[in-house]
Amino acid sequence: MSTISAEQVQKLRERTGAGMMDCKKALTENSGDFDKAVDYLRKKGIASAAKKAGRATKEGSVSCYIHGEGRVGVLVEVNCETDFVARTEQFKTFVRDIAMHIAAANPLYVTPEQVPADVVAKEKEIAIAQMQAQNKPAAVLEKIAEGKIQKFFEENCLLKQGFIKNPDQKIEDLLKETIASLGENIAIRRFSKFVLGEGVDGE
C-alpha cells in the first residue's frame, strides 16, 4: 500500500472540502489515486456534505425518545435549513434515531470541541501518569496520551460514536450521508438525557 503524504491529503481536502481523516481514508482506500479518491468521497456523500457545512440551520425539530416504560428519556434538537426538509420522513427518522442512540450510548457532548479544556487536560494527565512507570520517552508518552484522548472522544462525543444500529458507522458519517441525501446542511445542536431517580435532591 502506498504511503499517503500530508500534501496529498491537503490537496484532496481543498478540492472536496472534506475533513482530513476522510481525505486520508479516501486516498488510502484508493492507493493514492487522486481522481478515484474524489469519486470515493462523492459516492459517500462526504464531499457534498462538507460544502454545505457553512450554511445556516435555523429550522429543524426537537424530538424525544422514551425508553424502559418511562424510566429513560432523551430530548434532542436537530437543525436543518428549511421547514420543508424538517417535515420530511427521512429527517424525522434521522432525529428519532439520534435520540434513540443517545439513550443507549450515553454521550456527554455532541463534538470533541465541546469538551471543556480542563477535562481534556485531566484525561491527558491521567494517561501520562499511567504510562510513566514504563519509563518511555516523553515524545512517546505524548503520542500515547493523544491516542487515549481520541479514545475518550470516541466514547463520550456523540459524533465520534459508532451508531447503535450499525456500530461500524460513526454518527458523523451517518450525518454526512443524511446531509448529502437531503441536500441541506444539518446540525445536531444539543441534547439532554433524563434517567428516573437521578439528580433527585437528597439522594
Side-chain angles (χ1 to χ4, degrees):
M1 184 179 294
S2 60
T3 302
I4 306 302
S5 69
E7 288 77 16
Q8 287 175 291
V9 173
Q10 184 61 33
K11 181 181 177 183
L12 184 59
R13 187 181 187 190
E14 290 172 356
R15 169 73 173 274
T16 64
M20 295 289 285
M21 295 306 295
D22 289 323
C23 289
K24 185 174 182 180
K25 182 177 181 181
L27 287 162
T28 301
E29 292 286 332
N30 292 280
S31 302
D33 188 299
F34 184 82
D35 291 333
K36 288 182 179 179
V38 171
D39 288 341
Y40 174 93
L41 291 172
R42 290 182 64 189
K43 287 176 182 176
K44 288 190 171 292
I46 294 172
S48 58
K51 291 178 181 178
K52 295 178 177 67
R55 295 183 184 176
T57 52
K58 297 181 179 180
E59 298 294 335
S61 173
V62 174
S63 183
C64 68
Y65 175 78
I66 307 298
H67 183 71
E69 297 183 352
R71 301 192 66 84
V72 177
V74 169
L75 278 174
V76 61
E77 178 183 350
V78 180
N79 300 134
C80 57
E81 295 178 47
T82 65
D83 182 59
F84 174 79
V85 163
R87 289 185 281 108
T88 63
E89 192 56 39
Q90 184 178 355
F91 181 82
K92 292 177 181 178
T93 298
F94 174 75
V95 177
R96 286 195 296 268
D97 280 346
I98 294 301
M100 181 191 67
H101 173 91
I102 292 167
N106 198 34
L108 300 177
Y109 313 95
V110 177
T111 68
E113 291 74 23
Q114 291 181 352
V115 182
D118 60 330
V119 173
V120 176
K122 187 64 177 178
E123 289 297 319
K124 186 174 182 178
E125 178 186 330
I126 292 170
I128 291 177
Q130 290 173 340
M131 296 294 110
Q132 280 178 335
Q134 299 181 20
N135 297 318
K136 296 183 182 294
V140 175
L141 289 176
E142 186 73 19
K143 189 171 183 179
I144 293 173
E146 287 301 320
K148 288 185 176 291
I149 292 297
Q150 292 304 313
K151 183 67 174 177
F152 175 84
F153 290 154
E154 290 172 5
E155 292 174 350
N156 294 284
C157 297
L158 174 62
L159 291 186
K160 297 297 181 182
Q161 292 180 330
F163 182 32
I164 194 69
K165 286 186 175 181
N166 178 15
D168 292 332
Q169 181 184 41
K170 292 187 182 297
I171 293 294
E172 62 183 350
D173 294 327
L174 174 64
L175 175 61
K176 290 171 184 175
E177 287 183 4
T178 306
I179 290 171
S181 177
L182 290 173
E184 285 194 6
N185 190 23
I186 297 169
I188 303 171
R189 188 70 61 201
R190 54 185 171 171
F191 64 84
S192 293
K193 180 178 179 180
F194 303 87
V195 179
L196 186 66
E198 286 190 5
V200 178
D201 291 343
E203 294 187 6

